[in-house]
Amino acid sequence: MSILGKLVAIWRYPVKSMAAEPLDEVELSWHGLAGDRRWAFVQEDIPRSGFPWLTIRERTDMAHHVPRFADPSRPDTSRTLVTTPGGDEYDVVDAALAEALGGGVRVIKQNRGVFDAMPLSLITTQTVEHVAARVGLGLGPERFRPNLVVEAEGGEPFAEEEWIGATLRIGGAAMRLDQRDSRCVVVNVDPATLERNPAVLRTIAQERGSCLGVYGSTVRPGRVAVGDPVELAS
């Protein structure tokens, strides 16, 4: 097999648009990372919208709501707890949490995950570094909310786009890369400061047709870990 790079970070999002959970290893299932985006908040006043979810674009402080699993060994069945920016902790199903998010929203659970397009997202460190240099900001991968971050061999940005259509082996799992990841205004929000900078999406739109990173799907479930080689399956 051909080595394409190395897995250098894994990120899971127990609640859609809330803070990321960095992982050293995780089970990759048919529906993405175990426990990824199983919960989401729906805006009740947009019942027929094609995108009804409450996200960072509407409330930047969602990025500072920190979810965790009461039983990390069972992420798909565990209670999910959320710590607010003010330090209060709620069960994700607690009505008080929905009220704290501004009211007019309700939480739902989808065992297959609440994904914008596909269950897995991947980006290379070189792609992030290139965009950071073009924008003139110290952007990190977390700005783009990927599941998997790969340090590609060769050092060139956008290598992940060249892998579309291929099956990659990572640890005990295999995934197929299916399409480019179309970006929205969420990338303008700094996950640390919550400040918006429209130059981020503008640069991606001008240089990459508003796409950055790639989406994929599971070909073979299995465990993946930081440090695993990323290989092109034969």
Side-chain angles (χ1 to χ4, degrees), residues 53-194:
W53 318 113
L54 180 69
T55 71
I56 292 169
R57 78 179 85 191
E58 291 83 30
R59 286 194 61 118
T60 59
D61 69 341
M62 284 193 75
H64 285 183
H65 284 71
V66 182
R68 68 179 180 88
F69 296 114
D71 183 355
S73 69
R74 299 186 300 109
D76 280 327
T77 57
S78 170
R79 290 176 62 219
T80 302
L81 306 173
V82 176
T83 301
T84 69
D88 296 317
E89 186 173 71
Y90 300 99
D91 192 297
V92 71
V93 300
D94 193 325
L97 177 58
E99 190 63 30
L101 287 170
V105 299
R106 60 185 173 86
V107 71
I108 65 168
K109 185 178 186 183
Q110 291 189 2
N111 291 331
R112 294 187 176 186
V114 182
F115 305 111
D116 292 348
M118 307 197 78
L120 292 168
S121 58
L122 180 151
I123 200 167
T124 62
T125 56
Q126 290 90 343
T127 292
V128 174
E129 290 164 0
H130 177 89
V131 174
R134 295 293 292 157
V135 177
L137 293 174
L139 307 180
E142 61 274 18
R143 185 91 172 215
F144 305 102
R145 299 181 69 81
N147 293 124
L148 306 173
V149 182
V150 174
E151 184 179 281
E153 292 285 320
E156 294 299 317
F158 316 118
E160 61 269 45
E161 293 184 8
E162 299 174 6
W163 305 337
I164 291 175
T167 296
L168 310 185
R169 189 177 76 175
I170 308 174
M175 66 176 289
R176 183 182 62 246
L177 299 187
D178 297 302
Q179 65 186 57
R180 299 169 76 202
D181 188 340
S182 181
R183 296 297 177 167
C184 68
V185 295
V186 167
V187 300
N188 287 335
V189 179
D190 185 318
T193 67
L194 305 184

Side-chain angles (χ1 to χ4, degrees), residues 3-72:
I3 301 292
L4 299 177
K6 179 175 68 173
L7 185 63
V8 295
I10 304 169
W11 299 91
R12 176 168 61 192
Y13 310 86
V15 182
K16 185 177 180 66
S17 249
M18 288 189 177
E21 177 188 17
L23 301 169
D24 293 324
E25 60 180 353
V26 68
E27 194 71 22
L28 194 159
S29 75
W30 290 114
H31 306 303
L33 306 187
D36 188 43
R37 296 176 171 95
R38 302 312 194 236
W39 295 95
F41 282 86
V42 176
Q43 302 176 84
E44 294 182 322
D45 58 346
I46 317 177
R48 304 187 68 83
S49 169
F51 194 89
W53 318 113
L54 180 69
T55 71
I56 292 169
R57 78 179 85 191
E58 291 83 30
R59 286 194 61 118
T60 59
D61 69 341
M62 284 193 75
H64 285 183
H65 284 71
V66 182
R68 68 179 180 88
F69 296 114
D71 183 355

